[in-house]
Amino acid sequence: MKNYFSSDFKLGVLGGGQLGRMLLTETQKLDIYTVILDGNSEAPCSQICNEFHQGDLLDFDTVYNFGKKVDLLTIEIENVNIDALDKLEKEGLTIYPKPSSLRIIQNKARQKHFYTDNNIPTAEFNHYAYLEELKHSYENDIIEFPFVWKSAQFGYDGTGVKVVRNYNDLQSLPDGECIAEKLIPFKNELAVIVARNTDGKVKTYPVVEMEFHPEANQVEYVICPARIDSQVAEKAREIALKVVSDLDFVGLLAVEMFQTVDDKILVNEVAPRTHNSGHYSIEASYTNQFEQHLRSILNLPLGNTESKLAGIMVNLVGTEGYTGDVHYENIEEILKIDGVTPHIYGKKTTKPFRKMGHVTIVNKDINEARKIAQQVKETIKVISK
Amino acid sequence: MKNYFSSDFKLGVLGGGQLGRMLLTETQKLDIYTVILDGNSEAPCSQICNEFHQGDLLDFDTVYNFGKKVDLLTIEIENVNIDALDKLEKEGLTIYPKPSSLRIIQNKARQKHFYTDNNIPTAEFNHYAYLEELKHSYENDIIEFPFVWKSAQFGYDGTGVKVVRNYNDLQSLPDGECIAEKLIPFKNELAVIVARNTDGKVKTYPVVEMEFHPEANQVEYVICPARIDSQVAEKAREIALKVVSDLDFVGLLAVEMFQTVDDKILVNEVAPRTHNSGHYSIEASYTNQFEQHLRSILNLPLGNTESKLAGIMVNLVGTEGYTGDVHYENIEEILKIDGVTPHIYGKKTTKPFRKMGHVTIVNKDINEARKIAQQVKETIKVISK
C-alpha cells in the first residue's frame, strides 16, 4: 500500500469551503498532507491546511497546474474544470471521484438523461438548450404550470432551481441550458450517502429525512434515521446503490430522493462528495462522512456507517435582513443543552440564507432530539453587528 | 459576553504538540482564531493553526512577548515559564489555568505539599533539595527500598519517575530537587478529569482505569468507564473535586489516583490540561475533553460528560529498536474493525516509546471493546523504514 501517512504524499482538494474544512479535521487526524485550491483567499480552509493556493476552480490552466503538484486529487465542490481533470487523468494522476462521473453529475440535464438511460426512477423532464426553447415548449402545451425549472449548470444550495407556477415566474427565469421537471407531490425528501472505495467495496449510511425551509429551498433539518417504513428505506437504499454502481463511482455519493404520496422513490439529484445531509455523522456515526470519504478515495477499508445515537442537524444560515460581519447570537444558550454541538464554518460575512454553520443534536430518543432541534433553531440567530 | 467567535479575538496556546493539535480541531469547529508557541518548528500544530510562533516555552522573554499578542492564554503543556505568566497576568492578560495553579502543579514536591496541607490523601513522601540529601536519608534509615523517586521539575510521560529497588538504582539517579515516595501496593490506577469554568461551574468525566506498560511506565490502555465498584468511583470523583476546589482551578484538571489494595484512594499526581486519559472522549463522550477545555476557559456552559458508548484508548508508541522516519505498519488492518479510529499526531520521526498517536475503540460492550483493543495493540506497529 502506498504510504499516505507520510509527508511525501500530497492530497489535493479542489475547493476550500466548509466541506473542505471538515475534511481537514480528518486529514489532520490521519496526518495526511493536504493542499487546497480555492478562488477565495479567505476561504474556510485557507489558514488551516498544509498548503493553500488561490485560483479559479473553473479555469483550465489553474486546475491543471494545481493537479501537477499533488499525488491524488479530490473535490469538495463539483463545479470545477473537468477538461483539466481529464488531461491530468490521461497523464497518470489519480482523481476520485473520476472525471467521467463528475462530467455526468455536473450538468443537471446530463444527470437526468443518465437516470432515464439506466432505468433509475426520476421525475419526468424536458431538456432545453436555451430558455427560449422552454418558453416555446410552454406555448405549444408540451409542458404546463406548475413545473420545476433547473439550470443545467452550476446550481448550488437551491440557486438554479425554481418552481414555476405562472407566466410571471416563467418570464423571470435566467437564460441558459435548463430542464423543466414535473412537480412531484411527495411525502418526504430522503437522502442516502453511499461510499465506494477503489476496490469496489460499498457501504451505505442510514436513510435520512430532510425538512426544507419553505422559501429558501434549503435544508432546515436533517433527521437520522428517517422516520419512515423500513421497506421504503430499503427501496431508497437499493436505488442509491444502483446509481453508484451504474456510475462506476468512487468516493462518496449523496443521493437525494423523493418519497412520493404512493411510496415510490424517485431520484431527485446526486452530489459526488460529502454532503450537508451527512453532517450529523460527525457526532452520531461510528465513522463520519469525512473520514469515510478519505477511506474510499485512499482505498482503505470502509468504516462502520451505523449510528451511535439518533442525530439531527440544523443548518445555521444568515438571517434575512442582515448582511455584514457575522455574529452568532445566543450561541452560549444552545451550549447549555446536552448533546448540542455547533460547527462554525469561519466565513467572515453573513448574508440572508448563506450557510454559516450547522448544529448537531444527538440523543438516545429521536423525538427528544427533534424537540431540541426546534429549540436550537429558535434560539441561535446568525446576524451582523 | 466577549465575542470569541470573531477574528478580533486571539486565543494563545503555549505548546503545539499532540494535545494542541487535537485542541485545534475544536477551535476550528468554533472558528476561534488560535495562535501557538512551540520550540519545535515542525511541532504537530505548526502547519494547521492560524498563527505559529517558534520559541522556547521556558524562556521569560519569549513567553512574555507571545502573551502580549493574544487576548486569552492557555497551555497544552505545564512546563512553561511561570514568571512570565505572572507578569502578563498582573498586566491584565487573562490566563487559564491560572499561573498560581500552574506554579503548584509544575513542581512535584510543591504539588505533594499542597495535598498534605489540604488533607488530600496521597502517598507519604520526603522532599530533598539535592540527590545527596536523599542518599543521606537512605543511609540514615529514614527511607528504605523500594521507594519511588520523582524529579521535582519537568517530568513528563514517565521520565523523571523511577522505582528505586536497590543501591544500584539509587546510584543511577540524576541530581536535582526530588521526592522519595512510599511505594503503594495498588489494585488499579484511576483518573478523573474535572472541568471548571470561570463561573465556578464544575463537571466530572467518568472515572477511567489505566493499564500501564510494565517497562516504559506509560499508559497502554485507558478504559472508560473503569470496571470498579461504584462506591470506589464515587470516592475518586469526590477527591478529584476537592483538588479542583482547593486549587481554585479553572480549566481541565486530570487527577491520577491509586486504588489501594484496601480500596483507599490516593492522589498520585495531576495535570492542569487535557490529558491522555481523556482521549477516548473524542469518539465516546457527548462532549470531548478538548471542546470542554475551550468551554471552561471561555466561560461557556460546560458540556455533558457522559459517554455515548464504552471507550478504550490504546497509545501508539514507537516500537523498541526503531528510530527514524515513522511508518505505521498494518494501519489498514485495524481500519477493518468496526468502531476503531486511529489518531496520528504528525510527528516525523519515531523512537522507542515516543507517543506517536493513539487509537480509540468504541463499543456498546466494554468487554468486547477490551478484546478489540488488545487486537489493535498486537496488530499496528510504529516502526521506521
Side-chain angles (χ1 to χ4, degrees):
Chain A
M1 195 183 81
K2 192 157 182 179
N3 191 2
Y4 304 120
F5 313 105
S6 96
S7 52
D8 295 340
F9 175 81
K10 291 189 180 185
L11 173 67
V13 183
L14 296 174
Q18 63 261 27
L19 299 176
R21 190 174 169 100
M22 290 182 270
L23 184 69
L24 284 177
T25 295
E26 305 307 315
T27 60
Q28 289 163 12
K29 206 167 82 181
L30 294 175
D31 194 33
I32 292 167
Y33 191 98
T34 308
V35 190
I36 286 186
L37 178 70
D38 196 281
N40 176 2
S41 67
E42 291 198 333
C45 290
S46 57
Q47 293 191 333
I48 60 171
C49 54
N50 296 88
E51 269 179 49
F52 182 78
H53 298 265
Q54 189 186 355
D56 184 354
L57 295 171
L58 292 168
D59 180 66
F60 182 94
D61 289 340
T62 304
V63 171
Y64 176 77
N65 291 330
F66 179 79
K68 284 296 186 188
K69 297 183 212 295
V70 302
D71 298 298
L72 173 64
L73 188 59
T74 190
I75 56 151
E76 65 108 53
I77 184 167
E78 56 274 31
N79 295 338
V80 299
N81 190 299
I82 294 174
D83 292 337
L85 299 188
D86 278 338
K87 186 168 159 71
L88 288 163
E89 194 179 45
K90 263 186 213 133
E91 291 174 6
L93 182 64
T94 307
I95 305 174
Y96 294 125
K98 288 179 273 191
S100 56
S101 303
L102 294 177
R103 198 175 281 283
I104 292 167
I105 293 164
Q106 194 188 69
N107 182 296
K108 281 193 185 168
R110 205 176 291 129
Q111 200 186 120
K112 290 288 283 191
H113 287 300
F114 171 81
Y115 300 141
T116 50
D117 291 351
N118 288 278
N119 296 313
I120 293 161
T122 192
E124 283 173 35
F125 74 104
N126 287 288
H127 176 197
Y128 308 101
Y130 309 98
L131 186 63
E132 276 310 303
E133 285 189 357
L134 185 153
K135 286 180 182 167
H136 280 289
S137 188
Y138 171 74
E139 282 152 17
N140 293 314
D141 297 327
I142 294 166
I143 56 170
E144 56 187 37
F145 300 135
F147 63 84
V148 181
W149 166 88
K150 291 182 179 175
S151 169
Q153 295 277 8
F154 303 143
Y156 192 66
D157 278 349
T159 66
V161 178
K162 193 163 184 181
V163 179
V164 178
R165 298 184 187 279
N166 52 46
Y167 198 72
N168 266 352
D169 287 349
L170 182 63
Q171 289 306 314
S172 70
L173 292 174
D175 199 6
E177 187 189 359
C178 61
I179 60 172
E181 205 176 74
K182 200 175 161 182
L183 187 65
I184 300 297
F186 59 80
K187 280 185 197 169
N188 280 306
E189 292 203 49
L190 307 174
V192 177
I193 292 176
V194 184
R196 185 163 178 268
N197 69 11
T198 64
D199 275 352
K201 294 280 193 312
V202 172
K203 292 218 181 187
T204 56
Y205 280 86
V207 181
V208 301
E209 180 189 338
M210 297 183 288
E211 288 186 36
F212 277 72
H213 186 283
E215 287 162 46
N217 195 31
Q218 276 186 329
V219 177
E220 222 173 3
Y221 303 106
V222 171
I223 300 166
C224 178
R227 296 161 299 179
I228 56 171
D229 188 88
S230 67
Q231 283 178 307
V232 175
E234 185 51 29
K235 205 190 293 175
R237 191 177 158 271
E238 280 168 14
I239 289 171
L241 284 169
K242 178 166 165 53
V243 176
V244 164
S245 162
D246 290 345
L247 278 169
D248 190 23
F249 192 83
V250 174
L252 240 61
L253 191 78
V255 184
E256 295 186 57
M257 292 172 278
F258 299 118
Q259 177 189 2
T260 64
V261 287
D262 55 347
D263 283 344
K264 284 206 181 81
I265 296 290
L266 300 179
V267 172
N268 177 20
E269 59 181 45
V270 302
R273 50 170 166 78
T274 58
H275 192 252
N276 194 258
S277 67
H279 289 352
Y280 76 89
S281 65
I282 298 173
E283 285 80 15
S285 304
Y286 282 87
T287 313
N288 74 55
Q289 66 166 343
F290 300 96
E291 181 183 332
Q292 196 77 293
H293 177 68
L294 288 178
R295 287 177 180 237
S296 63
I297 64 173
L298 298 176
N299 204 30
L300 295 167
L302 296 176
N304 185 354
T305 53
E306 291 172 306
S307 295
K308 299 170 184 171
L309 295 165
I312 298 189
M313 188 221 52
V314 179
N315 276 319
L316 289 183
V317 300
T319 305
E320 278 190 281
Y322 295 92
T323 299
D325 285 357
V326 64
H327 175 71
Y328 300 91
E329 195 170 73
N330 294 329
I331 191 166
E332 67 275 28
E333 290 303 313
I334 69 165
L335 288 170
K336 286 179 187 162
I337 313 167
D338 280 352
V340 168
T341 307
H343 292 255
I344 307 297
Y345 298 154
K347 299 175 183 176
K348 305 294 170 224
T349 58
T350 183
K351 54 189 178 188
F353 302 115
R354 186 178 193 196
K355 275 188 196 166
M356 300 299 290
H358 75 263
V359 180
T360 307
I361 296 97
V362 292
N363 203 289
K364 283 174 195 158
D365 177 353
I366 197 166
N367 297 312
E368 185 60 24
R370 182 63 185 76
K371 277 184 216 155
I372 295 170
Q374 183 94 30
Q375 192 186 342
V376 164
K377 181 86 198 159
E378 288 164 3
T379 303
I380 190 167
K381 291 275 172 281
V382 182
I383 59 171
S384 57
K385 264 203 168 168
Chain B
M1 194 184 81
K2 191 156 183 177
N3 191 2
Y4 303 120
F5 312 106
S6 95
S7 52
D8 295 340
F9 176 81
K10 291 189 179 184
L11 173 67
V13 183
L14 296 174
Q18 63 261 26
L19 298 176
R21 189 174 170 100
M22 288 182 271
L23 184 69
L24 284 177
T25 294
E26 305 308 314
T27 60
Q28 289 163 12
K29 205 167 83 182
L30 294 174
D31 194 34
I32 292 166
Y33 191 98
T34 308
V35 190
I36 287 186
L37 178 68
D38 195 280
N40 175 3
S41 67
E42 292 199 334
C45 289
S46 58
Q47 294 193 332
I48 60 171
C49 54
N50 297 89
E51 270 180 49
F52 181 79
H53 298 265
Q54 189 187 355
D56 184 354
L57 296 171
L58 291 168
D59 179 66
F60 181 94
D61 289 339
T62 305
V63 171
Y64 176 77
N65 292 329
F66 178 78
K68 284 297 186 188
K69 297 184 211 297
V70 302
D71 298 298
L72 173 65
L73 188 59
T74 189
I75 56 151
E76 64 108 55
I77 184 167
E78 56 274 32
N79 295 337
V80 300
N81 190 300
I82 294 174
D83 292 337
L85 299 188
D86 279 338
K87 186 169 160 70
L88 287 163
E89 193 179 47
K90 263 186 210 133
E91 291 174 8
L93 182 64
T94 307
I95 304 174
Y96 294 126
K98 288 180 272 193
S100 57
S101 302
L102 294 179
R103 198 175 280 285
I104 292 167
I105 293 165
Q106 194 186 69
N107 182 296
K108 281 193 183 165
R110 205 176 291 129
Q111 199 185 121
K112 289 289 284 191
H113 287 300
F114 172 81
Y115 299 141
T116 50
D117 291 351
N118 288 278
N119 296 312
I120 292 162
T122 193
E124 284 173 35
F125 74 104
N126 287 287
H127 177 195
Y128 306 101
Y130 310 97
L131 185 65
E132 276 310 303
E133 285 189 358
L134 185 152
K135 287 181 181 168
H136 280 288
S137 188
Y138 171 75
E139 282 153 15
N140 294 312
D141 296 327
I142 294 166
I143 57 170
E144 55 187 36
F145 300 135
F147 63 84
V148 182
W149 166 89
K150 291 182 180 175
S151 170
Q153 296 277 9
F154 304 142
Y156 192 69
D157 278 350
T159 64
V161 178
K162 192 162 186 182
V163 179
V164 179
R165 297 184 187 279
N166 53 47
Y167 196 73
N168 265 352
D169 288 347
L170 183 62
Q171 289 306 315
S172 69
L173 292 175
D175 201 4
E177 186 189 359
C178 61
I179 60 172
E181 205 176 75
K182 199 174 160 183
L183 187 66
I184 300 296
F186 59 83
K187 280 186 197 169
N188 279 307
E189 292 203 49
L190 307 174
V192 177
I193 293 176
V194 184
R196 185 165 178 267
N197 69 11
T198 64
D199 274 353
K201 295 279 192 313
V202 172
K203 292 217 180 186
T204 54
Y205 280 85
V207 181
V208 301
E209 179 189 340
M210 298 183 288
E211 289 185 36
F212 277 72
H213 186 282
E215 287 162 45
N217 196 31
Q218 276 185 329
V219 178
E220 222 173 3
Y221 303 105
V222 171
I223 300 166
C224 179
R227 296 161 299 179
I228 56 170
D229 189 88
S230 66
Q231 285 178 307
V232 174
E234 186 50 30
K235 204 189 293 175
R237 191 177 159 270
E238 280 167 14
I239 289 171
L241 284 168
K242 178 167 165 53
V243 177
V244 165
S245 163
D246 290 345
L247 278 170
D248 189 23
F249 192 82
V250 174
L252 240 61
L253 192 78
V255 184
E256 295 185 58
M257 292 173 278
F258 298 116
Q259 176 189 3
T260 64
V261 286
D262 54 348
D263 283 343
K264 285 208 182 80
I265 296 290
L266 300 178
V267 172
N268 178 20
E269 60 181 43
V270 301
R273 50 169 166 79
T274 57
H275 192 252
N276 194 257
S277 67
H279 289 352
Y280 76 89
S281 65
I282 297 174
E283 285 80 15
S285 304
Y286 281 88
T287 312
N288 74 55
Q289 66 166 343
F290 300 96
E291 181 182 333
Q292 195 77 292
H293 177 69
L294 288 178
R295 288 177 180 237
S296 63
I297 64 173
L298 299 175
N299 203 30
L300 295 167
L302 296 176
N304 184 355
T305 53
E306 291 171 307
S307 295
K308 300 170 185 171
L309 296 164
I312 298 188
M313 188 219 52
V314 179
N315 276 319
L316 289 184
V317 300
T319 306
E320 278 189 281
Y322 295 92
T323 298
D325 285 356
V326 64
H327 175 72
Y328 301 93
E329 193 170 74
N330 294 331
I331 191 166
E332 67 276 29
E333 291 303 312
I334 68 166
L335 287 171
K336 288 179 187 163
I337 312 166
D338 280 352
V340 168
T341 307
H343 292 255
I344 306 297
Y345 298 154
K347 299 176 183 176
K348 305 296 169 223
T349 56
T350 183
K351 54 189 177 187
F353 301 114
R354 185 177 193 196
K355 276 190 195 165
M356 300 300 289
H358 74 263
V359 180
T360 307
I361 295 97
V362 292
N363 203 289
K364 285 173 192 157
D365 178 352
I366 197 166
N367 297 314
E368 184 60 24
R370 183 61 185 80
K371 276 184 217 157
I372 295 170
Q374 183 93 29
Q375 192 186 342
V376 165
K377 181 85 198 159
E378 288 165 2
T379 303
I380 191 168
K381 291 276 171 282
V382 182
I383 59 170
S384 57
K385 264 203 172 171

